[in-house]
mmCIF file of all heavy atoms in Angstrom:
data_model
loop_
_atom_site.group_PDB
_atom_site.id
_atom_site.type_symbol
_atom_site.label_atom_id
_atom_site.label_comp_id
_atom_site.label_asym_id
_atom_site.label_seq_id
_atom_site.Cartn_x
_atom_site.Cartn_y
_atom_site.Cartn_z
ATOM 1 N N VAL A 1 0.826 -1.211 0.000
ATOM 2 C CA VAL A 1 0.000 0.000 0.000
ATOM 3 C C VAL A 1 0.860 1.260 0.000
ATOM 4 O O VAL A 1 0.450 2.314 -0.474
ATOM 5 C CB VAL A 1 -0.965 -0.012 1.211
ATOM 6 C CG1 VAL A 1 -0.170 0.108 2.514
ATOM 7 C CG2 VAL A 1 -1.981 1.112 1.113
ATOM 8 N N ASN A 2 2.092 1.164 0.502
ATOM 9 C CA ASN A 2 2.959 2.329 0.579
ATOM 10 C C ASN A 2 3.311 2.885 -0.799
ATOM 11 O O ASN A 2 3.523 4.087 -0.957
ATOM 12 C CB ASN A 2 4.260 1.987 1.316
ATOM 13 C CG ASN A 2 4.017 1.634 2.764
ATOM 14 O OD1 ASN A 2 2.954 1.902 3.305
ATOM 15 N ND2 ASN A 2 4.989 1.005 3.390
ATOM 16 N N PHE A 3 3.432 2.005 -1.791
ATOM 17 C CA PHE A 3 3.806 2.498 -3.120
ATOM 18 C C PHE A 3 2.730 2.284 -4.181
ATOM 19 O O PHE A 3 2.880 2.741 -5.306
ATOM 20 C CB PHE A 3 5.131 1.850 -3.586
ATOM 21 C CG PHE A 3 5.167 0.350 -3.507
ATOM 22 C CD1 PHE A 3 4.710 -0.419 -4.550
ATOM 23 C CD2 PHE A 3 5.691 -0.277 -2.388
ATOM 24 C CE1 PHE A 3 4.755 -1.802 -4.487
ATOM 25 C CE2 PHE A 3 5.748 -1.666 -2.314
ATOM 26 C CZ PHE A 3 5.276 -2.432 -3.373
ATOM 27 N N LEU A 4 1.646 1.611 -3.829
ATOM 28 C CA LEU A 4 0.550 1.417 -4.781
ATOM 29 C C LEU A 4 -0.647 2.322 -4.504
ATOM 30 O O LEU A 4 -1.440 2.598 -5.408
ATOM 31 C CB LEU A 4 0.084 -0.042 -4.765
ATOM 32 C CG LEU A 4 1.037 -1.096 -5.332
ATOM 33 C CD1 LEU A 4 0.443 -2.486 -5.143
ATOM 34 C CD2 LEU A 4 1.316 -0.830 -6.796
ATOM 35 N N GLY A 5 -0.781 2.791 -3.263
ATOM 36 C CA GLY A 5 -1.990 3.514 -2.863
ATOM 37 C C GLY A 5 -2.283 4.744 -3.698
ATOM 38 O O GLY A 5 -3.417 4.954 -4.146
ATOM 39 N N SER A 6 -1.280 5.574 -3.933
ATOM 40 C CA SER A 6 -1.497 6.828 -4.663
ATOM 41 C C SER A 6 -1.930 6.575 -6.098
ATOM 42 O O SER A 6 -2.890 7.175 -6.592
ATOM 43 C CB SER A 6 -0.218 7.674 -4.647
ATOM 44 O OG SER A 6 0.134 8.022 -3.335
ATOM 45 N N ALA A 7 -1.218 5.688 -6.793
ATOM 46 C CA ALA A 7 -1.521 5.430 -8.201
ATOM 47 C C ALA A 7 -2.882 4.760 -8.369
ATOM 48 O O ALA A 7 -3.655 5.111 -9.269
ATOM 49 C CB ALA A 7 -0.425 4.569 -8.819
ATOM 50 N N VAL A 8 -3.186 3.803 -7.495
ATOM 51 C CA VAL A 8 -4.481 3.115 -7.584
ATOM 52 C C VAL A 8 -5.610 4.073 -7.225
ATOM 53 O O VAL A 8 -6.643 4.132 -7.906
ATOM 54 C CB VAL A 8 -4.496 1.875 -6.663
ATOM 55 C CG1 VAL A 8 -5.888 1.258 -6.625
ATOM 56 C CG2 VAL A 8 -3.482 0.853 -7.149
ATOM 57 N N GLY A 9 -5.429 4.853 -6.156
ATOM 58 C CA GLY A 9 -6.466 5.788 -5.736
ATOM 59 C C GLY A 9 -6.722 6.879 -6.762
ATOM 60 O O GLY A 9 -7.868 7.317 -6.951
ATOM 61 N N ALA A 10 -5.677 7.341 -7.439
ATOM 62 C CA ALA A 10 -5.825 8.391 -8.453
ATOM 63 C C ALA A 10 -6.212 7.841 -9.814
ATOM 64 O O ALA A 10 -6.438 8.617 -10.751
ATOM 65 C CB ALA A 10 -4.509 9.167 -8.578
ATOM 66 N N ARG A 11 -6.249 6.521 -9.934
ATOM 67 C CA ARG A 11 -6.549 5.875 -11.222
ATOM 68 C C ARG A 11 -5.628 6.399 -12.321
ATOM 69 O O ARG A 11 -6.053 6.758 -13.420
ATOM 70 C CB ARG A 11 -8.010 6.088 -11.610
ATOM 71 C CG ARG A 11 -8.989 5.466 -10.628
ATOM 72 C CD ARG A 11 -10.428 5.656 -11.045
ATOM 73 N NE ARG A 11 -11.343 5.073 -10.078
ATOM 74 C CZ ARG A 11 -12.674 5.127 -10.185
ATOM 75 N NH1 ARG A 11 -13.214 5.761 -11.220
ATOM 76 N NH2 ARG A 11 -13.433 4.578 -9.264
ATOM 77 N N ALA A 12 -4.332 6.414 -12.013
ATOM 78 C CA ALA A 12 -3.348 6.925 -12.967
ATOM 79 C C ALA A 12 -3.236 6.029 -14.193
ATOM 80 O O ALA A 12 -2.833 6.488 -15.269
ATOM 81 C CB ALA A 12 -1.987 7.042 -12.290
ATOM 82 N N ALA A 13 -3.571 4.757 -14.058
ATOM 83 C CA ALA A 13 -3.551 3.809 -15.171
ATOM 84 C C ALA A 13 -4.344 2.588 -14.730
ATOM 85 O O ALA A 13 -4.901 2.554 -13.625
ATOM 86 C CB ALA A 13 -2.113 3.433 -15.532
ATOM 87 N N SER A 14 -4.427 1.597 -15.612
ATOM 88 C CA SER A 14 -5.098 0.366 -15.231
ATOM 89 C C SER A 14 -4.295 -0.341 -14.146
ATOM 90 O O SER A 14 -3.097 -0.108 -13.987
ATOM 91 C CB SER A 14 -5.249 -0.553 -16.446
ATOM 92 O OG SER A 14 -3.979 -1.002 -16.893
ATOM 93 N N PHE A 15 -4.958 -1.195 -13.412
ATOM 94 C CA PHE A 15 -4.298 -1.869 -12.292
ATOM 95 C C PHE A 15 -3.116 -2.704 -12.761
ATOM 96 O O PHE A 15 -2.074 -2.767 -12.095
ATOM 97 C CB PHE A 15 -5.314 -2.755 -11.555
ATOM 98 C CG PHE A 15 -4.766 -3.377 -10.300
ATOM 99 C CD1 PHE A 15 -4.553 -2.605 -9.170
ATOM 100 C CD2 PHE A 15 -4.447 -4.727 -10.256
ATOM 101 C CE1 PHE A 15 -4.043 -3.171 -8.006
ATOM 102 C CE2 PHE A 15 -3.950 -5.299 -9.102
ATOM 103 C CZ PHE A 15 -3.742 -4.519 -7.975
ATOM 104 N N LYS A 16 -3.232 -3.340 -13.921
ATOM 105 C CA LYS A 16 -2.135 -4.150 -14.444
ATOM 106 C C LYS A 16 -0.908 -3.286 -14.756
ATOM 107 O O LYS A 16 0.228 -3.677 -14.488
ATOM 108 C CB LYS A 16 -2.592 -4.911 -15.694
ATOM 109 C CG LYS A 16 -3.598 -6.013 -15.408
ATOM 110 C CD LYS A 16 -3.954 -6.772 -16.672
ATOM 111 C CE LYS A 16 -4.945 -7.902 -16.380
ATOM 112 N NZ LYS A 16 -5.312 -8.653 -17.612
ATOM 113 N N TRP A 17 -1.151 -2.092 -15.332
ATOM 114 C CA TRP A 17 -0.037 -1.195 -15.634
ATOM 115 C C TRP A 17 0.640 -0.716 -14.350
ATOM 116 O O TRP A 17 1.865 -0.645 -14.262
ATOM 117 C CB TRP A 17 -0.534 -0.001 -16.452
ATOM 118 C CG TRP A 17 -0.444 -0.211 -17.932
ATOM 119 C CD1 TRP A 17 -1.439 -0.587 -18.771
ATOM 120 C CD2 TRP A 17 0.734 -0.079 -18.733
ATOM 121 N NE1 TRP A 17 -0.975 -0.697 -20.056
ATOM 122 C CE2 TRP A 17 0.361 -0.383 -20.063
ATOM 123 C CE3 TRP A 17 2.053 0.270 -18.474
ATOM 124 C CZ2 TRP A 17 1.280 -0.348 -21.119
ATOM 125 C CZ3 TRP A 17 2.963 0.306 -19.514
ATOM 126 C CH2 TRP A 17 2.576 0.004 -20.822
ATOM 127 N N ILE A 18 -0.169 -0.382 -13.361
ATOM 128 C CA ILE A 18 0.397 0.074 -12.085
ATOM 129 C C ILE A 18 1.227 -1.032 -11.441
ATOM 130 O O ILE A 18 2.338 -0.794 -10.943
ATOM 131 C CB ILE A 18 -0.728 0.531 -11.134
ATOM 132 C CG1 ILE A 18 -1.431 1.766 -11.709
ATOM 133 C CG2 ILE A 18 -0.183 0.835 -9.745
ATOM 134 C CD1 ILE A 18 -2.666 2.182 -10.940
ATOM 135 N N MET A 19 0.705 -2.258 -11.447
ATOM 136 C CA MET A 19 1.446 -3.379 -10.883
ATOM 137 C C MET A 19 2.741 -3.634 -11.651
ATOM 138 O O MET A 19 3.780 -3.974 -11.065
ATOM 139 C CB MET A 19 0.576 -4.639 -10.893
ATOM 140 C CG MET A 19 -0.564 -4.608 -9.891
ATOM 141 S SD MET A 19 0.018 -4.586 -8.185
ATOM 142 C CE MET A 19 0.709 -6.222 -8.062
ATOM 143 N N GLY A 20 2.688 -3.472 -12.971
ATOM 144 C CA GLY A 20 3.884 -3.662 -13.780
ATOM 145 C C GLY A 20 4.960 -2.635 -13.463
ATOM 146 O O GLY A 20 6.145 -2.969 -13.324
ATOM 147 N N VAL A 21 4.545 -1.366 -13.342
ATOM 148 C CA VAL A 21 5.496 -0.300 -13.000
ATOM 149 C C VAL A 21 6.104 -0.542 -11.628
ATOM 150 O O VAL A 21 7.323 -0.410 -11.424
ATOM 151 C CB VAL A 21 4.785 1.074 -13.051
ATOM 152 C CG1 VAL A 21 5.672 2.165 -12.461
ATOM 153 C CG2 VAL A 21 4.416 1.429 -14.482
ATOM 154 N N ALA A 22 5.256 -0.926 -10.668
ATOM 155 C CA ALA A 22 5.753 -1.193 -9.311
ATOM 156 C C ALA A 22 6.694 -2.398 -9.288
ATOM 157 O O ALA A 22 7.700 -2.395 -8.567
ATOM 158 C CB ALA A 22 4.579 -1.424 -8.361
ATOM 159 N N ALA A 23 6.378 -3.414 -10.091
ATOM 160 C CA ALA A 23 7.222 -4.618 -10.131
ATOM 161 C C ALA A 23 8.614 -4.293 -10.659
ATOM 162 O O ALA A 23 9.627 -4.759 -10.121
ATOM 163 C CB ALA A 23 6.562 -5.691 -10.994
ATOM 164 N N VAL A 24 8.668 -3.479 -11.713
ATOM 165 C CA VAL A 24 9.973 -3.081 -12.253
ATOM 166 C C VAL A 24 10.736 -2.251 -11.224
ATOM 167 O O VAL A 24 11.953 -2.405 -11.055
ATOM 168 C CB VAL A 24 9.788 -2.283 -13.562
ATOM 169 C CG1 VAL A 24 11.125 -1.737 -14.053
ATOM 170 C CG2 VAL A 24 9.161 -3.154 -14.634
ATOM 171 N N GLY A 25 10.021 -1.381 -10.512
ATOM 172 C CA GLY A 25 10.662 -0.578 -9.475
ATOM 173 C C GLY A 25 11.224 -1.434 -8.352
ATOM 174 O O GLY A 25 12.344 -1.182 -7.870
ATOM 175 N N ILE A 26 10.480 -2.451 -7.930
ATOM 176 C CA ILE A 26 10.954 -3.345 -6.875
ATOM 177 C C ILE A 26 12.198 -4.101 -7.330
ATOM 178 O O ILE A 26 13.171 -4.252 -6.571
ATOM 179 C CB ILE A 26 9.841 -4.324 -6.466
ATOM 180 C CG1 ILE A 26 8.754 -3.585 -5.676
ATOM 181 C CG2 ILE A 26 10.398 -5.471 -5.646
ATOM 182 C CD1 ILE A 26 7.591 -4.452 -5.282
ATOM 183 N N LEU A 27 12.185 -4.576 -8.572
ATOM 184 C CA LEU A 27 13.335 -5.312 -9.094
ATOM 185 C C LEU A 27 14.581 -4.429 -9.123
ATOM 186 O O LEU A 27 15.664 -4.840 -8.683
ATOM 187 C CB LEU A 27 13.027 -5.843 -10.489
ATOM 188 C CG LEU A 27 14.139 -6.635 -11.172
ATOM 189 C CD1 LEU A 27 14.505 -7.858 -10.351
ATOM 190 C CD2 LEU A 27 13.734 -7.041 -12.578
ATOM 191 N N CYS A 28 14.432 -3.210 -9.625
ATOM 192 C CA CYS A 28 15.571 -2.283 -9.683
ATOM 193 C C CYS A 28 16.044 -1.917 -8.279
ATOM 194 O O CYS A 28 17.254 -1.857 -8.014
ATOM 195 C CB CYS A 28 15.176 -1.019 -10.444
ATOM 196 S SG CYS A 28 14.812 -1.278 -12.189
ATOM 197 N N GLY A 29 15.109 -1.683 -7.364
ATOM 198 C CA GLY A 29 15.483 -1.324 -6.004
ATOM 199 C C GLY A 29 16.189 -2.451 -5.283
ATOM 200 O O GLY A 29 17.129 -2.212 -4.520
ATOM 201 N N ALA A 30 15.754 -3.690 -5.525
ATOM 202 C CA ALA A 30 16.398 -4.833 -4.885
ATOM 203 C C ALA A 30 17.844 -4.978 -5.344
ATOM 204 O O ALA A 30 18.747 -5.257 -4.547
ATOM 205 C CB ALA A 30 15.619 -6.114 -5.193
ATOM 206 N N VAL A 31 18.071 -4.763 -6.629
ATOM 207 C CA VAL A 31 19.424 -4.878 -7.171
ATOM 208 C C VAL A 31 20.343 -3.811 -6.580
ATOM 209 O O VAL A 31 21.546 -4.028 -6.410
ATOM 210 C CB VAL A 31 19.380 -4.771 -8.712
ATOM 211 C CG1 VAL A 31 20.774 -4.657 -9.295
ATOM 212 C CG2 VAL A 31 18.667 -5.984 -9.304
ATOM 213 N N MET A 32 19.779 -2.650 -6.223
ATOM 214 C CA MET A 32 20.589 -1.537 -5.730
ATOM 215 C C MET A 32 20.576 -1.411 -4.211
ATOM 216 O O MET A 32 20.935 -0.379 -3.660
ATOM 217 C CB MET A 32 20.091 -0.218 -6.341
ATOM 218 C CG MET A 32 20.195 -0.156 -7.854
ATOM 219 S SD MET A 32 19.890 1.490 -8.537
ATOM 220 C CE MET A 32 18.243 1.836 -7.949
ATOM 221 N N SER A 33 20.181 -2.458 -3.494
ATOM 222 C CA SER A 33 19.935 -2.327 -2.056
ATOM 223 C C SER A 33 21.090 -2.785 -1.180
ATOM 224 O O SER A 33 20.937 -2.899 0.026
ATOM 225 C CB SER A 33 18.689 -3.133 -1.668
ATOM 226 O OG SER A 33 18.941 -4.513 -1.805
ATOM 227 N N ASN A 34 22.242 -3.032 -1.749
ATOM 228 C CA ASN A 34 23.344 -3.619 -0.989
ATOM 229 C C ASN A 34 23.761 -2.764 0.205
ATOM 230 O O ASN A 34 24.214 -3.277 1.219
ATOM 231 C CB ASN A 34 24.543 -3.839 -1.910
ATOM 232 C CG ASN A 34 25.674 -4.578 -1.238
ATOM 233 O OD1 ASN A 34 25.500 -5.680 -0.764
ATOM 234 N ND2 ASN A 34 26.838 -3.950 -1.178
ATOM 235 N N GLY A 35 23.637 -1.449 0.108
ATOM 236 C CA GLY A 35 24.128 -0.563 1.158
ATOM 237 C C GLY A 35 23.433 -0.708 2.493
ATOM 238 O O GLY A 35 23.992 -0.324 3.523
ATOM 239 N N MET A 36 22.201 -1.266 2.516
ATOM 240 C CA MET A 36 21.458 -1.389 3.768
ATOM 241 C C MET A 36 21.730 -2.698 4.495
ATOM 242 O O MET A 36 21.296 -2.882 5.629
ATOM 243 C CB MET A 36 19.951 -1.275 3.477
ATOM 244 C CG MET A 36 19.509 0.074 2.940
ATOM 245 S SD MET A 36 19.798 1.417 4.091
ATOM 246 C CE MET A 36 18.701 0.941 5.424
ATOM 247 N N MET A 37 22.455 -3.629 3.875
ATOM 248 C CA MET A 37 22.633 -4.963 4.453
ATOM 249 C C MET A 37 23.461 -4.948 5.739
ATOM 250 O O MET A 37 23.401 -5.897 6.525
ATOM 251 C CB MET A 37 23.283 -5.901 3.426
ATOM 252 C CG MET A 37 22.390 -6.203 2.240
ATOM 253 S SD MET A 37 20.857 -7.031 2.743
ATOM 254 C CE MET A 37 19.924 -6.992 1.207
ATOM 255 N N ASP A 38 24.230 -3.890 5.956
ATOM 256 C CA ASP A 38 25.072 -3.835 7.152
ATOM 257 C C ASP A 38 24.258 -3.762 8.434
ATOM 258 O O ASP A 38 24.763 -4.098 9.511
ATOM 259 C CB ASP A 38 26.010 -2.625 7.082
ATOM 260 C CG ASP A 38 27.109 -2.807 6.047
ATOM 261 O OD1 ASP A 38 27.401 -3.964 5.704
ATOM 262 O OD2 ASP A 38 27.662 -1.801 5.567
ATOM 263 N N VAL A 39 22.996 -3.325 8.349
ATOM 264 C CA VAL A 39 22.156 -3.232 9.543
ATOM 265 C C VAL A 39 21.982 -4.601 10.187
ATOM 266 O O VAL A 39 22.053 -4.742 11.417
ATOM 267 C CB VAL A 39 20.779 -2.628 9.188
ATOM 268 C CG1 VAL A 39 19.852 -2.658 10.394
ATOM 269 C CG2 VAL A 39 20.937 -1.197 8.695
ATOM 270 N N ALA A 40 21.775 -5.632 9.369
ATOM 271 C CA ALA A 40 21.579 -6.979 9.903
ATOM 272 C C ALA A 40 22.890 -7.627 10.331
ATOM 273 O O ALA A 40 22.892 -8.565 11.130
ATOM 274 C CB ALA A 40 20.884 -7.866 8.856
ATOM 275 N N ARG A 41 24.019 -7.134 9.834
ATOM 276 C CA ARG A 41 25.317 -7.739 10.130
ATOM 277 C C ARG A 41 25.908 -7.229 11.440
ATOM 278 O O ARG A 41 26.355 -8.015 12.276
ATOM 279 C CB ARG A 41 26.295 -7.474 8.975
ATOM 280 C CG ARG A 41 25.932 -8.194 7.693
ATOM 281 C CD ARG A 41 26.727 -7.651 6.518
ATOM 282 N NE ARG A 41 28.157 -7.818 6.691
ATOM 283 C CZ ARG A 41 28.845 -8.897 6.304
ATOM 284 N NH1 ARG A 41 28.207 -9.903 5.731
ATOM 285 N NH2 ARG A 41 30.156 -8.977 6.478
#
């Protein structure tokens, strides 16, 4: 809901398009997330 709420509530696009955009964002963010791993270490 943190990253889907605004787009879904505003009907910025169809739900499938919104999910697709969010999925690509999650994939890119996961690949670039190495800097936060030290918290668990």
Side-chain angles (χ1 to χ4, degrees):
V1 67
N2 295 345
F3 52 87
L4 291 176
S6 298
V8 173
R11 297 181 181 178
S14 67
F15 186 73
K16 291 183 179 180
W17 268 99
I18 295 172
M19 289 295 292
V21 170
V24 174
I26 288 178
L27 180 60
C28 294
V31 171
M32 298 190 301
S33 68
N34 186 58
M36 295 298 296
M37 293 299 171
D38 289 338
V39 174
R41 292 167 61 89

